[in-house]
Amino acid sequence: MVSMRRKDREESEAFALAVLRDCEYAVLATVNEDSTPYCIPVSPVLWENTVYFHCALEGQKLENLQNRPDVCLTCVGKTQLCPQKFTTAYESAVAYGRAQLVEDEQEKRFALRILCEKYAKDNLENAEAAISRSLARTGIVKITLARVTGKANRLS
């Protein structure tokens, strides 16, 4: 692994996990069969050392994960444009891990519940019914984290 160039902006693993936990979306990087890169936004939820996201049951992302399960997930937290200083204040996290499609129904339900808790907390009373309706046509991918790094530009 390449080390971070701007050591003054490097943050702790705990910071990086907090950015990952709180981010609205992240960009998942995979590799196509012809070795070209493929990136796509996902809505992640962090549970212990695992990231879950929902998806369709077919498509380029899943083909890539079946062929090459090693992935990178990039999250951006709070940002603030600072044109007077020609910079941006930001916080970010980069997570590396191994992805797989969840096959176990109980784990899929669990992942969908925690996704609902993060993204639909004002509608949790309808979550179980929505999960039951969509379970058969919804894919869940889990990424077992191997490494997470954090970075921030805090303006003085």
Side-chain angles (χ1 to χ4, degrees):
M1 286 282 165
V2 177
S3 65
M4 192 174 297
R5 184 182 67 83
R6 292 291 306 261
K7 292 290 186 188
D8 60 317
R9 294 188 179 169
E10 188 172 12
E11 295 288 341
S12 69
E13 181 178 303
F15 174 91
L17 289 170
V19 171
L20 175 54
R21 182 193 64 235
D22 297 338
C23 72
E24 190 173 316
Y25 70 93
V27 178
L28 177 73
T30 66
V31 179
N32 290 320
E33 192 173 349
D34 66 358
S35 297
T36 57
Y38 179 78
C39 298
I40 190 159
V42 296
S43 300
V45 64
L46 178 65
W47 182 263
E48 296 176 351
N49 194 46
T50 302
V51 173
Y52 291 99
F53 63 87
H54 72 288
C55 61
L57 290 171
E58 59 184 41
Q60 189 65 53
K61 173 177 52 234
L62 290 184
E63 288 177 27
N64 291 354
L65 296 179
Q66 288 171 345
N67 294 326
R68 295 183 171 148
D70 292 322
V71 298
C72 181
L73 190 67
T74 301
C75 314
V76 177
K78 299 173 191 146
T79 63
Q80 178 186 353
L81 296 177
C82 304
Q84 67 282 8
K85 294 184 179 185
F86 301 100
T87 193
T88 301
Y90 66 87
E91 57 186 30
S92 64
V94 178
Y96 304 89
R98 196 163 188 85
Q100 69 183 73
L101 189 64
V102 174
E103 303 288 347
D104 178 73
E105 183 177 319
Q106 290 307 105
E107 187 175 8
K108 279 181 73 170
R109 285 182 177 278
F110 171 77
L112 287 167
R113 278 187 207 103
I114 61 176
L115 281 159
C116 287
E117 288 171 7
K118 180 176 180 179
Y119 293 102
K121 60 184 165 199
D122 292 338
N123 194 18
L124 288 179
E125 66 275 5
N126 296 308
E128 286 302 321
I131 289 168
S132 292
R133 276 193 315 274
S134 64
L135 189 66
R137 66 179 185 273
T138 302
I140 294 291
V141 172
K142 76 174 178 180
I143 302 169
T144 303
L145 297 176
R147 180 172 172 244
V148 182
T149 63
K151 189 174 176 182
N153 182 14
R154 303 175 196 280
L155 300 178
S156 52

